[in-house]
């Protein structure tokens, strides 16, 4: 079991690493693509600036060349451009490209935009023959600016999709496991019911022969206990009825029954508050949880040691501690104790604590956990239920 769990963890880590690498590759590829587009825009602006310079020179008389330069200037329909004089004042609207009209009409907004452009890219200086040099200010296109955030958005979406997929598959797995355990429990209840009915008939015959026999009374107690166990299993998978019952009484009944059936070498004690505490719970299912924890504690102590059940109220919650002086648990054992199928016993099925957790969390809206454990010194299980 440990080896299978270890291999399962390795497989999970391999899948996690591969998915992380895939997301990283997508983000890096997007960043590289955006950087490529940015460099292409810079080349387009440099070509645009060269065309602007040649258009203003008188040495070019070829109409086809002038037409080509004009076409180059017109091809820029996305990149914001402002051409200024040597004092960095805008020359005119004819030398501005892709600038909003309301910005062109506001000198202050134009100056602010020039400052913003200069922070983005160093303006291109046009060396003019008459010495009246010009500057071409520019910045990224709106499309490129929007694409800058796409790698992060894409990575986030991929991560969210993967997380949702894991959550969805895990939910389906838990649901399937729930149906399996519920089916197993109901089938167990059915199987117990057949010999139990026969035992009830035989106890009636024995009572007729000797009504006051102590053996008959003890067998009858165990038969009633088997009825309770059968009822517990039959309730798994269905919504149990919760009643406002005195939880002190529930604990006391279980304590009295278990104390007479565990080893006399176990110093078994129960500490309850003096006042009556009414709390919604299903007595049959909660008794099952208590019995599971007590039996696990007795097994951990190998039939000899100290076991204390202590109930107390704090912050509008009821806490029930089961403290034993058994073998204790390692960190690995404690983290897997409530997982279905995990058991430290050679003959254990690993269902007791798993079903106990389900009874407390799903049916009673509470929690059950290992409050403390230390190898060689013992373990404390803690049940908490809201006292609403």
């Amino acid at each position: 079991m440990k080896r299978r769990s270890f291999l399962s963890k390795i497989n999970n880590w391999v899948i996690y690493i591969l998915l992380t690498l895939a997301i990283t590759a997508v983000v890096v590829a997007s960043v590289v693509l955006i950087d490529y587009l940015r460099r292409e825009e810079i080349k387009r602006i440099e070509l645009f600036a060269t065309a602007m310079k040649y258009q203003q020179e008188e040495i070019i008389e070829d109409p086809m060349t002038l037409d080509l330069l004009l076409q180059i200037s017109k091809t820029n329909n996305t990149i914001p451009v402002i051409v200024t004089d040597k004092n960095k004042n805008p020359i005119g609207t004819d030398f501005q490209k892709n600038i909003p009209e309301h910005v062109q009409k506001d000198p202050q907004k134009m100056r602010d935009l020039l400052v913003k452009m200069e922070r983005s890219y160093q303006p291109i200086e046009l060396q003019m023959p008459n010495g009246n040099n010009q500057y071409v200010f520019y910045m990224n296109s709106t499309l490129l600016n929007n694409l800058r955030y796409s790698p992060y958005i894409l990575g986030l979406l991929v991560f969210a999709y993967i997380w949702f997929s894991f959550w969805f598959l895990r939910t389906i797995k838990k649901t399937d496991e729930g149906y399996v355990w519920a089916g197993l429990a109901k089938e167990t209840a059915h199987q117990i019911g057949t010999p139990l009915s026969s035992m009830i008939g035989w106890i009636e015959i024995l009572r007729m022969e000797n009504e006051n026999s102590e053996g008959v009374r003890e067998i009858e107690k165990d038969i009633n206990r088997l009825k309770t166990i059968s009822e517990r299993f039959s309730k798994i998978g269905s919504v149990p009825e919760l009643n406002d019952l005195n939880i002190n009484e529930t604990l006391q009944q279980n304590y009295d029954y278990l104390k007479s059936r565990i080893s006399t070498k176990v110093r078994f004690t129960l500490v309850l508050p003096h006042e009556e505490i009414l709390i919604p719970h299903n007595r049959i299912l909660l008794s099952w949880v208590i019995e599971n924890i007590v039996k696990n504690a007795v097994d951990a102590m190998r039939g000899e040691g100290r076991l204390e059940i202590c109930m107390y109220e704090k912050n509008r919650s009821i806490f029930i501690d089961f403290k034993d002086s058994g073998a204790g648990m390692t960190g690995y054992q404690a983290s897997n104790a409530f997982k279905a199928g995990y058991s430290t016993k050679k003959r254990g099925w690993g269902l007791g604590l798993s079903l106990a957790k389900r009874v407390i969390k799903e049916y009673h809206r509470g929690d059950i956990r290992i409050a403390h454990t230390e190898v060689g010194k013992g373990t404390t299980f803690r049940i908490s239920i809201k006292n609403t």
Side-chain angles (χ1 to χ4, degrees):
M1 180 66 70
K2 289 183 179 179
R3 179 177 176 81
R4 186 181 300 175
S5 177
F6 177 71
L7 292 175
S8 177
K9 284 187 176 182
I10 290 179
N11 291 335
N12 290 339
W13 274 108
V14 169
I15 294 172
Y16 173 77
I17 292 171
L18 290 176
L19 290 175
T20 302
L21 291 175
I23 294 174
T24 303
V26 169
V27 173
V28 170
S30 300
V31 171
V32 171
L33 176 61
I34 291 169
D35 184 63
Y36 170 77
L37 294 175
R38 184 184 65 83
R39 285 186 277 106
E40 288 298 309
E41 283 197 352
I42 293 174
K43 290 179 181 179
R44 286 176 59 191
I45 288 299
E46 289 174 347
L47 183 61
F48 171 82
T50 303
M52 290 286 296
K53 177 183 177 182
Y54 287 155
Q55 277 183 282
Q56 298 179 69
E57 291 181 354
E58 299 178 355
I59 57 174
I60 300 177
E61 297 179 356
D62 184 8
M64 294 184 66
T65 303
L66 291 173
D67 183 62
L68 176 61
L69 295 174
L70 184 62
Q71 291 299 321
I72 292 173
S73 300
K74 289 182 178 180
T75 54
N76 177 26
N77 297 317
T78 57
I79 306 172
V81 175
I82 299 176
V83 181
T84 69
D85 59 22
K86 62 183 179 181
N87 296 319
K88 298 185 177 179
N89 295 314
I91 294 176
T93 56
D94 293 339
F95 292 88
Q96 299 171 16
K97 286 284 188 179
N98 308 308
I99 305 298
E101 188 175 350
H102 71 278
V103 176
Q104 293 180 359
K105 293 179 178 179
D106 190 329
Q108 182 58 46
K109 289 183 178 179
M110 285 292 288
R111 284 193 292 271
D112 293 341
L113 183 57
L114 283 172
V115 172
K116 185 177 179 181
M117 287 179 168
E118 192 168 12
R119 287 175 181 170
S120 299
Y121 296 102
Q122 184 70 24
I124 300 172
E125 185 177 6
L126 303 181
Q127 300 288 341
M128 307 304 291
N130 56 8
N132 294 322
N133 295 346
Q134 297 174 352
Y135 290 95
V136 178
F137 288 78
Y138 64 100
M139 61 191 301
N140 292 332
S141 64
T142 304
L143 176 62
L144 185 60
N145 280 330
N146 292 335
L147 286 175
R148 288 171 58 190
Y149 302 102
S150 63
Y152 308 102
I153 296 173
L154 182 61
L156 182 63
L157 289 175
V158 172
F159 176 80
Y161 174 76
I162 292 172
W163 178 85
F164 174 78
S165 299
F166 272 111
W167 172 83
F168 182 70
L169 292 173
R170 187 178 180 185
T171 302
I172 292 176
K173 182 181 178 183
K174 283 189 173 181
T175 303
D176 291 341
E177 286 178 353
Y179 285 130
V180 170
W181 298 135
L184 176 62
K186 290 183 181 295
E187 179 62 22
T188 302
H190 176 71
Q191 294 293 335
I192 291 175
T194 303
L196 186 59
S197 299
S198 178
M199 290 174 68
I200 293 172
W202 281 108
I203 198 69
E204 291 298 326
I205 295 173
L206 291 172
R207 186 182 288 111
M208 290 172 60
E209 294 179 357
N210 188 351
E211 186 175 356
N212 298 320
S213 171
E214 183 179 353
V216 171
R217 288 197 300 271
E218 289 300 319
I219 293 173
E220 190 173 16
K221 287 181 182 178
D222 286 331
I223 287 175
N224 290 331
R225 192 65 177 179
L226 283 172
K227 286 182 182 178
T228 301
I229 293 171
S230 178
E231 191 175 350
R232 290 173 184 172
F233 277 106
S234 66
K235 288 181 181 293
I236 296 296
S238 57
V239 179
E241 182 181 352
L242 303 183
N243 300 307
D244 283 330
L245 301 172
N246 183 5
I247 196 168
N248 290 18
E249 187 178 328
T250 301
L251 285 170
Q252 188 68 55
Q253 288 177 359
N254 281 273
Y255 172 76
D256 292 340
Y257 175 80
L258 293 169
K259 185 174 177 62
S260 63
R261 281 161 175 77
I262 63 176
S263 172
T264 55
K265 294 182 180 180
V266 175
R267 294 191 294 279
F268 193 14
T269 57
L270 174 65
V271 180
L272 298 174
H274 297 294
E275 67 276 7
E276 183 181 82
I277 298 177
L278 295 178
I279 190 168
H281 68 280
N282 184 284
R283 182 162 283 172
I284 292 174
L285 291 180
L286 190 59
S287 297
W288 187 7
V289 174
I290 294 169
E291 187 173 327
N292 262 291
I293 297 176
V294 169
K295 286 184 175 180
N296 280 338
V298 173
D299 288 342
M301 294 185 292
R302 297 182 180 178
E304 184 176 0
R306 297 185 310 277
L307 173 59
E308 180 186 81
I309 302 177
C310 178
M311 186 176 75
Y312 55 96
E313 189 173 8
K314 183 179 179 182
N315 298 329
R316 298 185 62 82
S317 292
I318 298 298
F319 295 90
I320 308 171
D321 284 356
F322 299 80
K323 185 177 182 180
D324 67 63
S325 60
M329 298 185 191
T330 64
Y332 176 82
Q333 290 171 335
S335 62
N336 289 279
F338 294 100
K339 291 183 179 179
Y342 179 81
S343 177
T344 56
K345 304 172 189 176
K346 292 182 179 179
R347 297 183 180 180
W349 282 20
L351 299 181
L353 289 178
S354 174
L355 290 174
K357 190 177 185 72
R358 179 170 180 171
V359 168
I360 297 298
K361 294 200 73 170
E362 295 186 16
Y363 298 155
H364 292 83
R365 304 301 177 190
D367 188 32
I368 179 171
R369 63 188 182 87
I370 297 173
H372 177 76
T373 186
E374 189 173 349
V375 176
K377 293 189 176 180
T379 300
T380 300
F381 281 86
R382 178 168 295 162
I383 296 173
S384 59
I385 303 175
K386 290 287 184 182
N387 186 12
T388 54

